[in-house]
Amino acid sequence: MRAAALACVFVVGCSSAGIEVQLRVPSGDHPLAGADAVAVTLRDGSGQPLAFARGAATAGSIDLPHVPGGAGYTLEVDARFGADVLARGRSCGFDVDAARPPTVPIWFSRIGRFAATSGPDVARTDAVTFAWGAGALVAGGSNAGAALATTESYDPAAARFGAGPSLSTPRSGARAVALGDGVVLVIGGAVKGAPALEALSATHTTPEPAGLAPELVEHAAAKTGAGSVVVAGGRIDGLPTDGAWIVTQAGASVEPLPPLAHARARLTLTSAGDDPFAPLFVIGGVDAQGPVAEIEAFDPATEAFFLPGIALGTPRSDHTVTRLPSGLLLVVGGFDADGAPIALAEIVDPAGRAARPVASLRTARAQHAATLLPSGRVLITGGVDATGTPLADAE
């Protein structure tokens, strides 16, 4: 378990009724982040429990009733999500004196495991998932071979899923980009003749016919610093495409872009920065011959793709790319030319126009997810291993 120095501060005040524990929890990547409840135990100098109380992690204070003054007390704190303990903290010894209420720091250790939560009502594959309000929304996908138009929203406070707004048409293999103000653009994954994309919000969905194929799958989409959305590559009627499009006005306008140098599917598209002229990098994917090593970039100023002279050391598809706080792009996992999962990760330096190998995963994987944490670390979850078996671990 890893200690988090002075992770939380509890101010203990004494009265005839007992002790009030005031929670002052820092924000960010903190041992209490993600907890829905906090359990507090007060012990005397011999280690015997004197009082116990439980409250919401968002509560301002928790009362421990009927506690006499004394010396050598300790506070123990469990951060819980349902029945699971996410983090555990303990104070050094302190005295309780009504005249001088002490400030007691708590030192936490992370338990470092996943906590159980409820699942969605409908099992689905090839769904698209994105942040939605204070939680997340799982949209579309397929069940028993049938594409779905339903969505389910996840409420982290209640730890359960509920019905979300319906898509305008069933979609499986779509991509989603958050536009801001609670609007998410959902792109592709539909059947011929259906709207190619739609702008989804909590109150309504706006389907747009658009100038791209609604059946587009295995494509990539990302927002530029100026707020437009670029869609690149993918597969139409089973074949990789070199097509690219720019979407503006929340989906109301779709214009074709000059094509990619390589037709590719199962690629990634990642912005190198947040300013309006930061380029977007096309990394990996497969064309008719196999995985593509050559990296392309989109220039928002000219609205065209160009070759920056960078190539992956290991061509791959079904990988992830995460922009780190330093501006470097971390490329993890994926399938190689033989269809085997890749362990070796690479760093792409957009400014230096170079790619280099870095660390290797403990388990080679593809079709996984990568999430940048507030601490700057990257959480790698799931995917499939060399036997095609879904993975339940994380790194």
Side-chain angles (χ1 to χ4, degrees), residues 28-352:
D29 183 27
H30 183 273
L32 291 187
D36 61 3
V38 174
V40 181
T41 303
L42 181 71
R43 299 185 182 274
D44 63 17
S46 65
Q48 294 300 309
L50 291 177
F52 173 83
R54 180 184 172 107
T58 55
S61 63
I62 298 176
D63 291 328
L64 294 174
H66 311 301
V67 176
Y73 289 175
T74 56
L75 272 174
E76 293 180 355
V77 181
D78 281 350
R80 294 179 174 270
F81 185 89
D84 295 287
V85 177
L86 301 182
R88 184 164 283 149
R90 191 175 189 273
S91 75
C92 295
F94 63 92
D95 300 337
V96 172
D97 182 346
R100 291 182 300 172
T103 297
V104 182
I106 305 293
W107 293 75
F108 274 93
S109 291
R110 300 178 189 271
I111 304 302
R113 69 182 186 189
F114 286 89
T117 187
S118 66
D121 292 333
V122 179
R124 55 185 88 206
T125 59
D126 290 322
V128 61
T129 304
F130 43 85
W132 188 256
L137 192 76
V138 180
S142 61
N143 179 280
L148 303 171
T150 59
T151 74
E152 296 182 63
S153 61
Y154 180 72
D155 180 351
R160 65 172 179 263
F161 283 84
S166 291
L167 299 173
S168 66
T169 187
R171 297 180 186 273
S172 181
R175 298 293 184 263
V177 177
L179 300 179
D181 296 326
V183 178
V184 175
L185 195 66
V186 184
I187 306 161
V191 298
K192 292 182 179 180
L197 52 84
E198 55 191 282
L200 184 68
S201 72
T203 57
H204 66 281
T205 178
T206 305
E208 300 288 352
L212 56 87
E215 65 271 27
L216 181 69
V217 294
E218 298 181 2
H219 49 296
K223 189 167 69 169
T224 70
S228 57
V229 173
V230 174
V231 182
R235 200 180 295 272
I236 302 174
D237 294 331
L239 298 176
T241 179
D242 60 3
W245 303 264
I246 188 164
V247 184
T248 57
Q249 301 176 48
S253 174
V254 179
E255 297 293 337
L257 292 169
L260 298 167
H262 296 274
R264 57 178 99 194
R266 292 150 54 191
L267 66 158
T268 59
L269 182 63
T270 309
S271 175
D274 294 325
D275 67 87
F277 299 105
L280 277 64
F281 283 79
V282 177
I283 298 176
V286 290
D287 61 13
Q289 285 72 46
V292 181
E294 194 167 40
I295 293 173
E296 302 183 49
F298 175 77
D299 182 355
T302 61
E303 294 193 349
F305 292 89
F306 66 96
L307 297 175
I310 314 172
L312 292 173
T314 304
R316 61 188 79 201
S317 65
D318 295 288
H319 53 290
T320 58
V321 176
T322 307
R323 192 180 86 209
L324 304 177
S326 62
L328 300 175
L329 306 181
L330 176 66
V331 184
V332 175
F335 290 118
D336 65 14
D338 297 322
I342 298 167
L344 183 64
E346 300 185 50
I347 284 287
V348 174
D349 181 355

